[in-house]
């Protein structure tokens, strides 16, 4: 029995060797092979640990039982049109990953609310200027997507005192969060949002959803003056030219972007140089090989005991 690691190397925590080391330590009785490095017998592969695998690789494994996606978002994996539909795909739902995402959301919501940019600018000029301060309950945060990550971030934002609302595909009832759903619920959601936090998966329905038309429906009467966009979901959700146009015509006050249509963000992108754009390099939350290998091995062992896999992706919904 082989567990094949098909991890596209992109530095940091996405080093195939780092993942292999953790899986070999946790599964000393199994063969762990790394695609592109180790030779392996395709017929012996029962499990794949995948992050942006080479298209076609998974379809070439005749006895595959489960694909473990090594992150939360499965858009890259599902982009492989040869993927077999009968093999379940398990995605990551993990307290450590969720916590890191919540840190990212809360960090940037607080930076906007407490006017971090104005304070940094004053300091750079040696100026003792205290900007106007208001309480958190004057600021309306709208969570686009109300999944594992958004619900956790929402809990913390509610505790801090923000007015929190959310938008999802299906109806939800979440304590202290005003919930909207479906396209019919979008106007009410956007129209009462000062800080839009995008935590949607990238699917056929959500691609390019964050465009100028949508951004112009955000609240115009908020305490921050102009609405703010924070996207930590996926770059394919946004239309980058529209975000720039909305920053320049006053529709948006600021954009915090962790994800981009093309990653790494090309040096030529004007987003790099825009004074009201904050860029982070798709590291809102790193997938930690130590923690996530533990999650995968726990699920693999449960599966072999005949138990039901958790967090299986719905291929029709695309998330
Ligand atoms: P979940 O699958 O738990 O939640 C997805 C949410 O989006 C659900 O509430 C779902 O609605 C909603 N949704 C999906 N499609 C639509 C639609 N068409 N209209 C309205 N709502 C929709 O995902 P997670 O919370 O675990 O993760 C969210 C995303 O965050 C990931 O897919 C990934 O892209 C991104 N991510 C980014 C990271 C980073 O470092 N930048 C790290 C980790 C994740 P419903 O509840 O009704 O199904
Ligand atoms: C993820 C990511 O989806 O890191 O887990 O983007």
């Amino acid at each position: 029995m082989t567990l094949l690691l098909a991890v596209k190397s992109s530095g940091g925590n996405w080093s195939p060797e780092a993942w292999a080391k953790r899986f070999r330590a946790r599964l000393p009785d199994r063969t762990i092979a790394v695609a592109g490095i180790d030779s392996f017998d395709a017929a012996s592969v029962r499990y794949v640990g995948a992050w942006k695998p080479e298209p076609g690789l998974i379809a070439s494994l005749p006895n595959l039982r489960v694909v473990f996606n090594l992150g939360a978002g499965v858009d890259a994996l599902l982009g492989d049109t040869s993927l077999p539909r009968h093999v379940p795909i398990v995605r990551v739902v993990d307290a450590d990953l969720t916590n890191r995402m919540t840190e990212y959301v809360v960090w940037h919501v607080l930076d906007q609310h407490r006017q971090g940019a104005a304070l940094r600018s004053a300091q750079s000029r040696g100026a003792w200027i205290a900007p106007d301060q208001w309480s958190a309950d004057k600021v309306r945060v709208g969570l686009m997507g109300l999944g594992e990550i958004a619900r956790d971030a929402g809990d913390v934002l509610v505790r801090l005192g923000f007015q929190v609302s959310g938008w999802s595909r299906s109806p939800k009832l979440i304590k202290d969060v005003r919930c909207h759903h479906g396209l019919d619920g979008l106007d009410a959601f956007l129209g009462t949002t000062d800080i839009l936090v995008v935590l949607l998966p990238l699917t056929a329905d959500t691609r390019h959803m964050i465009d100028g038309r949508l951004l112009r429906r955000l609240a115009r009467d908020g305490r921050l003056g102009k609405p703010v966009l924070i996207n930590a979901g996926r770059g394919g959700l946004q239309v980058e030219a529209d975000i720039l146009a909305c920053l320049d015509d006053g529709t948006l006050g600021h954009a915090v972007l962790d994800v981009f249509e093309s990653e790494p963000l090309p040096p030529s992108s004007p987003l790099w140089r825009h004074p009201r754009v904050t860029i982070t390099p798709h590291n809102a939350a790193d997938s930690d090989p130590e923690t996530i290998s533990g999650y995968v091995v726990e699920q693999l062992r449960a599966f072999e005991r005949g138990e039901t896999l958790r967090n299986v992706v719905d291929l029709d919904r695309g998330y």
Side-chain angles (χ1 to χ4, degrees):
M1 192 289 314
T2 297
L3 183 151
L4 179 68
L5 289 169
V7 175
K8 183 175 177 186
S9 179
S10 55
N13 275 358
W14 293 118
S15 134
E17 291 82 359
W19 288 89
K21 187 171 155 214
R22 297 321 194 290
F23 276 104
R24 286 186 179 123
R26 289 187 186 277
L27 292 169
D29 52 330
R30 317 288 177 107
T31 304
I32 310 295
V34 180
I37 298 179
D38 301 318
S39 55
F40 61 90
D41 168 17
S44 76
V45 175
R46 298 285 181 282
Y47 306 104
V48 170
W51 186 247
K52 304 182 179 174
E54 277 298 315
L57 172 66
I58 290 175
S60 72
L61 307 168
N63 299 313
L64 187 61
R65 301 274 165 74
V66 185
V67 177
F68 294 100
N69 187 61
L70 299 175
V74 289
D75 47 294
L77 185 60
L78 301 192
D80 178 352
T81 50
S82 67
L83 220 52
R85 282 190 73 87
H86 66 280
V87 178
I89 296 172
V90 171
R91 72 183 192 97
V92 170
V93 175
D94 167 71
D96 174 66
L97 186 80
T98 299
N99 196 39
R100 292 174 196 230
M101 287 297 278
T102 292
E103 285 174 5
Y104 186 87
V105 170
V106 173
W107 166 29
H108 290 289
V109 167
L110 285 175
D111 192 52
Q112 294 301 317
H113 163 56
R114 296 302 298 260
Q115 301 184 76
L119 287 163
R120 286 187 290 274
S121 157
Q123 180 178 351
S124 73
R125 289 176 279 117
W128 185 269
I129 296 174
D132 217 15
Q133 197 177 98
W134 47 82
S135 55
D137 66 357
K138 300 286 184 296
V139 178
R140 299 164 293 183
V141 182
L143 303 168
M144 210 167 180
L146 277 173
E148 299 288 341
I149 293 166
R151 283 200 304 270
D152 189 72
D155 269 3
V156 177
L157 293 167
V158 165
R159 265 206 320 278
L160 287 171
F162 291 97
Q163 292 183 52
V164 180
S165 65
W167 182 75
S168 53
R169 204 174 47 85
S170 55
K172 301 262 179 291
L173 253 182
I174 304 173
K175 189 173 178 303
D176 297 323
V177 176
R178 203 168 330 118
C179 295
H180 307 266
H181 68 278
L183 290 178
D184 289 347
L186 196 51
D187 268 330
F189 167 71
L190 294 170
T192 51
T193 290
D194 303 319
I195 302 182
L196 179 68
V197 179
V198 181
L199 291 166
L200 287 168
L202 179 60
T203 68
D205 290 337
T206 61
R207 184 175 293 280
H208 292 157
M209 195 169 198
I210 312 301
D211 61 5
R213 224 181 114 248
L214 181 140
L215 295 171
R216 281 191 288 277
R217 289 148 82 189
L218 288 166
R220 311 288 318 156
D221 57 351
R223 195 64 188 80
L224 301 181
K226 287 174 187 163
V228 169
L229 167 68
I230 299 176
N231 185 7
R234 280 291 181 269
L237 297 166
Q238 70 203 11
V239 179
E240 286 163 14
D242 285 14
I243 293 174
L244 283 162
C246 285
L247 285 161
D248 290 340
D249 72 12
T251 301
L252 270 184
H254 198 99
V256 177
L257 306 174
D258 184 55
V259 285
F260 303 89
E261 282 252 48
S262 173
E263 294 181 3
L265 182 65
S268 60
S269 169
L271 287 168
W272 281 114
R273 289 170 294 283
H274 199 287
R276 281 176 291 113
V277 175
T278 300
I279 287 174
T280 52
H282 196 148
N283 80 332
D286 275 354
S287 276
D288 182 353
E290 177 64 24
T291 324
I292 289 174
S293 61
Y295 163 83
V296 169
V297 168
E298 183 206 313
Q299 286 245 55
L300 183 156
R301 292 205 188 285
F303 175 74
E304 292 185 343
R305 288 193 301 271
E307 295 169 23
T308 308
L309 290 166
R310 293 177 288 115
N311 309 315
V312 175
V313 173
D314 179 330
L315 294 180
D316 293 324
R317 285 188 329 190
Y319 69 98

